[in-house]
Amino acid sequence: MTRPAALVIGGGIAGIQAALDHASGANFYLDPNALHWLGKPKLEKAEGEAAVDAVLVSLYRSQWDLWLVSDLFKAFRAANAKVPGGPMKSPVKRVMAVDFDSIGFPRVAADGAAPAEGGDAGEAIDPQKDAALDFKNGGVLGLVSNQLYDVRETRVKVVVETAAIPALVNELARCNFISVADVKLQPADTFDALRMGYVYGPQPCSELNLTLKSVWFRDWTTERMPVAMLKAIKSAGKPKPESADTAKPAAAGQ
């Protein structure tokens, strides 16, 4: 990954050569501020336990988002590994934006107040229970969060060599089964990109807006998940094993 070389419009051959030299040692470009993290917890109206909950949820979500970004970048690198040579030759040229969903953050009222406590504690994980697809709420893939797993939706804006789009989709699927739920594309302006210091090479490129869905099993994600986040996703986590002192006492004479 790299940022674009500083290329002043009108820099001529020297400016273009500087951009080429800069691109030769990169895998793909990553725009500044491309990762749209949800940011720090809002604590101005949180006190005591609510403030602690906000920090814990923010920390866990940051880790979860890092796992997701690692999977995405692993897929991008795998696609480029088959045609090495940096942005000039490799299929994935540039990552422009990655937007995350808000799953796991407790809902906040319109006035900014913290959500009311209580209510349904959530459903315990039951691997034997069917996790049915829901095409009404889950779109063409039918994937929705349920008691067994959470579905993360991520929007990615990326520049890819047009002929290599199917190969990128396959690499995403190979990386923890990341699925493409929607795709919008338009031709990328390689000359305008060059003026900004991005070198895409001679092949036609497209600017893709991808809606991606990934499945995260609660069997392991809820092990260290803060209580406030468990309530937000309506999960009780793994059912606790029945202890000896809470077991049903034996009948008389047994």
Side-chain angles (χ1 to χ4, degrees), residues 142-183:
L143 290 174
V144 293
S145 296
N146 54 66
Q147 58 86 21
L148 188 60
Y149 55 77
D150 289 296
V151 177
R152 295 291 308 272
E153 183 173 291
T154 315
R155 290 179 173 82
V156 179
K157 189 175 184 180
V158 60
V159 177
V160 182
E161 185 178 319
T162 304
I165 293 175
L168 175 60
V169 172
N170 289 338
E171 289 299 339
L172 287 167
R174 290 190 186 100
C175 190
N176 287 339
F177 304 101
I178 298 175
S179 302
V180 178
D182 187 43
V183 57

Side-chain angles (χ1 to χ4, degrees), residues 121-154:
E123 190 175 2
I125 299 170
D126 182 3
Q128 304 302 319
K129 186 177 179 180
D130 182 32
L133 298 177
D134 182 352
F135 294 100
K136 181 180 179 180
N137 298 307
V140 66
L141 299 176
L143 290 174
V144 293
S145 296
N146 54 66
Q147 58 86 21
L148 188 60
Y149 55 77
D150 289 296
V151 177
R152 295 291 308 272
E153 183 173 291
T154 315

Side-chain angles (χ1 to χ4, degrees), residues 56 60 67 218-227 229-230:
L56 291 176
Y60 190 94
W67 287 328
R218 291 181 174 181
D219 183 69
W220 68 273
T221 59
T222 59
E223 284 190 0
R224 297 289 185 267
M225 187 176 286
V227 174
M229 183 176 280
L230 285 170

Side-chain angles (χ1 to χ4, degrees), residues 56-76:
L56 291 176
V57 168
S58 180
L59 288 172
Y60 190 94
R61 260 304 302 264
S62 295
Q63 180 61 65
W64 200 351
D65 290 346
L66 281 173
W67 287 328
L68 184 49
V69 170
S70 297
D71 285 346
L72 290 175
F73 285 6
K74 181 180 178 180
F76 297 156

Side-chain angles (χ1 to χ4, degrees), residues 14-245:
I16 294 175
Q17 187 60 52
L20 291 172
D21 293 341
H22 184 74
S24 62
N27 195 309
F28 55 83
Y29 297 111
L30 178 64
D31 281 22
N33 302 316
L35 302 178
H36 298 162
W37 309 108
L38 292 184
K40 297 179 180 180
K42 296 181 179 180
L43 301 178
E44 58 270 15
K45 294 187 178 182
E47 297 179 357
E49 188 176 347
V52 174
D53 288 343
V55 172
L56 291 176
V57 168
S58 180
L59 288 172
Y60 190 94
R61 260 304 302 264
S62 295
Q63 180 61 65
W64 200 351
D65 290 346
L66 281 173
W67 287 328
L68 184 49
V69 170
S70 297
D71 285 346
L72 290 175
F73 285 6
K74 181 180 178 180
F76 297 156
R77 290 193 300 268
N80 283 355
K82 296 179 179 179
V83 187
M88 273 287 293
K89 297 180 180 179
S90 298
V92 179
K93 311 294 183 181
R94 175 184 174 192
V95 178
M96 302 176 71
V98 179
D99 290 286
F100 305 98
D101 56 23
S102 59
I103 188 173
F105 275 110
R107 293 185 177 180
V108 177
D111 60 357
E117 293 293 334
D120 188 4
E123 190 175 2
I125 299 170
D126 182 3
Q128 304 302 319
K129 186 177 179 180
D130 182 32
L133 298 177
D134 182 352
F135 294 100
K136 181 180 179 180
N137 298 307
V140 66
L141 299 176
L143 290 174
V144 293
S145 296
N146 54 66
Q147 58 86 21
L148 188 60
Y149 55 77
D150 289 296
V151 177
R152 295 291 308 272
E153 183 173 291
T154 315
R155 290 179 173 82
V156 179
K157 189 175 184 180
V158 60
V159 177
V160 182
E161 185 178 319
T162 304
I165 293 175
L168 175 60
V169 172
N170 289 338
E171 289 299 339
L172 287 167
R174 290 190 186 100
C175 190
N176 287 339
F177 304 101
I178 298 175
S179 302
V180 178
D182 187 43
V183 57
K184 296 181 177 65
L185 68 142
Q186 64 182 25
D189 190 333
T190 55
F191 293 102
D192 186 57
L194 183 59
R195 293 187 185 96
M196 295 186 292
Y198 298 100
V199 183
Y200 296 160
Q203 300 302 322
C205 296
S206 294
E207 185 179 294
L208 301 182
N209 283 278
L210 302 172
T211 300
L212 307 175
K213 289 194 176 184
S214 54
V215 172
W216 300 80
F217 284 93
R218 291 181 174 181
D219 183 69
W220 68 273
T221 59
T222 59
E223 284 190 0
R224 297 289 185 267
M225 187 176 286
V227 174
M229 183 176 280
L230 285 170
K231 291 181 179 179
I233 66 172
K234 297 182 179 180
S235 176
K238 290 182 180 180
K240 295 181 180 180
E242 191 175 0
S243 60
D245 36 336

